[in-house]
Amino acid sequence: MNTRIDPQLKIILIGGSSNVGKSRVAGALASKIGWRCISTDSLARHPGRPWRQSNKKVPAHVAEHYLSLKANELLESVILHHRKMSPLVAELVRATVHDEGMDKLVLEGSALWPFITSGHRMKEVGAVWLTASPDTLRTRIYEASGFHNASEQNRGMISRFLERTLLFDRKTAELVGEHGCKVLDVDAYKTTEDLIDGIVNSLRA
């Protein structure tokens, strides 16, 4: 694996929809090149995924969010949230670029798309957007959520989350591509290492 990064870069943005693999590849890339890694979820959280890894119940406000809104309304809600987060992202990028005391950063999150599509072209910033096929996203969401063993209500929430994810993936990949950002299909890479190579090569290009 060749992970030689352009020395001018101080921050790498890795965006994409839920369950496309941003966290895994961002963490692996940051570890390889010795940079810190942050998720935009740490800046502000929208109602998260409608399932929990333990036996804990999905919070009532999260359940209401997914059960009361249609897929297009869920999409509008998360897009509005991301737009509101843009100043926070911009400030973090600005600080990383201009503050010599700050470590270089791999920043990942679906909330990055408004910042990327705004035409950001700083030489210190590299950006890539990850996308995946509907089948890949569906399989990952079903596996992560335990869909097949979930209650009827939880299946309803997970299904609505999946619908929103598919809409978000398609819409944002098109927008980001139209604005000249590199869009990589994760299905084209067999391993995380291969995907890291693809990201590094796209940043060089």
Side-chain angles (χ1 to χ4, degrees), residues 14-26:
I14 299 179
S17 68
S18 297
N19 293 85
V20 79
K22 302 180 301 297
S23 298
R24 181 177 66 253
V25 74

Side-chain angles (χ1 to χ4, degrees), residues 35-56:
W35 293 15
R36 61 188 174 127
C37 184
I38 293 178
S39 170
T40 56
D41 285 346
S42 67
L43 304 178
R45 285 195 69 86
H46 190 258
R49 297 169 180 174
W51 64 84
R52 293 295 179 268
Q53 298 303 326
S54 64
N55 292 325
K56 292 181 180 179

Side-chain angles (χ1 to χ4, degrees), residues 60-179:
H61 74 281
V62 175
E64 181 181 6
H65 181 74
Y66 287 102
L67 293 173
S68 64
L69 298 178
K70 297 179 180 178
N72 62 322
E73 294 172 324
L74 290 170
L75 178 64
E76 291 173 2
S77 175
V78 76
I79 285 176
L80 177 60
H81 172 69
H82 290 165
R83 290 192 184 280
K84 289 179 177 179
M85 284 186 65
S86 290
L88 294 174
V89 174
E91 175 56 26
L92 178 56
V93 171
R94 186 205 64 77
T96 303
V97 168
H98 296 295
D99 187 343
E100 295 298 331
M102 293 189 71
D103 293 333
K104 293 182 178 182
L105 173 66
V106 178
L107 178 63
E108 64 89 5
S110 56
L112 293 175
W113 71 269
F115 189 76
I116 293 175
T117 58
S118 67
H120 204 54
R121 293 294 183 272
M122 296 176 68
K123 66 180 183 299
E124 297 90 351
V125 181
V128 64
W129 193 261
L130 304 182
T131 186
S133 70
D135 284 344
T136 293
L137 293 172
R138 182 179 298 105
T139 297
R140 291 183 177 181
I141 288 172
Y142 279 2
E143 289 179 352
S145 66
F147 177 84
H148 297 293
N149 295 318
S151 67
E152 182 176 353
Q153 183 184 63
N154 285 354
R155 284 191 181 193
M157 290 188 286
I158 296 164
S159 295
R160 196 62 57 80
F161 178 86
L162 172 61
E163 289 180 73
R164 189 206 75 179
T165 298
L166 296 178
L167 288 174
F168 182 85
D169 178 74
R170 183 168 65 249
K171 181 179 181 66
T172 53
E174 290 173 356
L175 282 172
V176 171
E178 288 171 1
H179 284 77

